[in-house]
Amino acid sequence: MPQRTLAVVVSLDVEEEGLFSGAYPRSGAGLTNIPLLRRLEFLPRELGLPLTCLCDYPVLTHAPSLGVLEGLLGRCGGELGAHLHPWNTPPFPDMPWPEPVSTAVLPLEAFRAKLETLQEAVRAFSGRRAVSFRMGRWNLFRRAMAVLPEAGFVVDSSVAPLRHVPGGPDHFLAPADPYWLRPAGPRGARLLEAPTTQVPLVPGSAPAVAALAGRLPEKARDAVLAAFMRTMVLGVNPVWMPEATMRLAVRTHVRRGGRAVTLFWHSSELLPGASPHFPDQAAVDAFLKKVRRFADWLRRTYDVAGVTLGDLAGPAFNWPDRSPGSRRRSTRDWG
């Protein structure tokens, strides 16, 4: 039986190839994956799920890729957002750290300048600046998050709850549903965080595990959190999760009061051989069939409203406020 309306976002990191190789060149990476975005047209056309295309600088400055995006968004609607890879987005000040430079140390003026470069590329193509953003490598520390409203962003989707990356930002205990926050910045502009959807299998287990891990030495802490991620986390990412897990994640999230589901994957995962998950055409074809089955299941099971990331910030939704006053003494990077 259909249940209450469930907002569903399909967000795509539209970017250059080679990102699963561990190399971070400033230029010269391939963009042959971009035309393959056309294979996703069934989502908006047949299933009413618009695409949020979060594009990085190489894509936004490559005329053939822009032609693909113009055709796709023109035919199917959707949203053009921004995706920052600092290693290939100018300017490039001299810095003492190897790429990719973490936003934990990247000078904020350099971060602001890179965001402005990205926004100008979006504006040159679409006539307006992007409102939605995702940070490359999920590497968005709180100090950098506070800059996003200055650059005109209203919605961020750089938080992956229950995911721990050694040396990365602390997003582990972030909520699974969108929430408003008010980062420190000029005029106190608000920012909606729309995390990718991941929930614990057992209610209340994540805070307990985080508390335990926080008392352990670094290596043991990383091992505990990694084991929890592998065995006790449900999510809807179609690359990371089996189809049965994705369905269970949605059922669990909705049962606990969740009102939005945010999926994501990378454009290069549509290109055979560009990702370790998809070594050949058969693997890509199977992936797209999996996405179609899951999207069709969502439609049959719930009263689905297909929305973009920008739509989530609209007046139709009333997301909770998790501004600094509601999270006293917090040192986490998810709000």
Side-chain angles (χ1 to χ4, degrees):
M1 291 290 293
Q3 302 178 31
R4 65 176 176 161
T5 300
L6 179 68
V8 175
V9 175
V10 178
S11 62
L12 306 169
D13 291 1
V14 181
E15 57 192 26
E16 71 279 4
E17 295 146 29
L19 295 171
F20 296 93
S21 65
Y24 300 93
R26 286 187 181 175
S27 62
L31 290 165
T32 61
N33 70 94
I34 306 303
L36 297 174
L37 290 171
R38 298 187 185 107
R39 297 198 68 186
L40 300 176
E41 288 193 21
F42 70 90
L43 287 165
R45 283 182 178 274
E46 300 175 30
L47 296 165
L49 299 177
L51 306 177
T52 300
C53 296
L54 300 159
C55 301
D56 74 351
Y57 186 73
V59 173
L60 290 166
T61 54
H62 182 245
S65 295
L66 292 178
V68 172
L69 288 165
E70 184 176 30
L72 178 64
L73 296 174
R75 289 188 302 272
C76 304
E79 180 182 346
L80 181 73
H83 184 49
L84 180 62
H85 286 172
W87 58 88
N88 58 27
T89 304
F92 302 111
D94 290 334
M95 291 184 286
W97 309 282
E99 297 289 6
V101 178
S102 171
T103 61
V105 296
L106 180 67
L108 289 183
E109 285 309 308
F111 184 65
R112 288 185 176 95
K114 289 175 184 290
L115 290 179
E116 186 61 25
T117 297
L118 193 57
Q119 283 284 39
E120 279 302 303
V122 171
R123 186 199 57 77
F125 170 54
S126 68
R128 56 187 178 184
R129 293 158 77 88
V131 299
S132 299
F133 177 82
R134 180 173 291 141
M135 186 67 201
R137 291 296 182 264
W138 310 97
N139 188 263
L140 190 66
F141 282 79
R142 183 191 290 189
R143 64 191 291 273
M145 180 183 281
V147 176
L148 296 182
E150 299 178 28
F153 294 109
V154 179
V155 182
D156 175 62
S157 187
S158 303
V159 169
L162 304 178
R163 187 166 184 261
H164 171 71
V165 178
D170 180 4
H171 296 161
F172 193 77
L173 293 179
D177 243 10
Y179 55 94
W180 286 103
L181 55 94
R182 197 180 299 274
R187 298 179 298 281
R190 293 208 305 170
L191 181 72
L192 183 72
E193 182 56 50
T196 59
T197 305
Q198 297 197 136
V199 296
L201 177 61
V202 178
S205 57
V209 169
L212 169 64
R215 295 194 291 268
L216 297 174
E218 183 177 354
K219 287 187 178 180
R221 178 200 66 201
D222 292 345
V224 166
L225 295 177
F228 182 81
M229 289 162 53
R230 286 194 307 270
T231 60
M232 299 296 289
V233 174
L234 307 171
V236 298
N237 179 275
V239 177
W240 294 348
M241 301 288 179
E243 192 172 345
T245 300
M246 294 169 66
R247 295 187 183 195
L248 181 57
V250 176
R251 291 190 186 279
T252 301
H253 182 48
V254 171
R255 188 169 61 248
R256 295 174 187 168
R259 296 188 289 132
V261 169
T262 300
L263 295 86
F264 94 94
W265 62 92
H266 305 89
S267 59
S268 55
E269 286 161 339
L270 301 174
L271 178 67
S275 160
H277 298 285
F278 306 110
D280 51 33
Q281 188 65 57
V284 173
D285 292 345
F287 170 71
L288 290 173
K289 290 178 181 177
K290 173 184 177 181
V291 169
R292 180 185 283 274
R293 285 193 306 268
F294 178 68
D296 183 64
W297 173 82
L298 280 173
R299 276 287 183 203
R300 288 185 284 105
T301 308
Y302 297 94
D303 178 16
V304 165
V307 298
T308 66
L309 281 173
D311 291 336
L312 289 176
F317 299 99
N318 184 26
W319 304 114
D321 180 13
R322 294 183 182 272
S323 294
S326 66
R327 51 184 173 84
R328 293 186 296 274
R329 296 184 299 278
S330 173
T331 59
R332 297 162 185 149
D333 295 296
W334 50 264

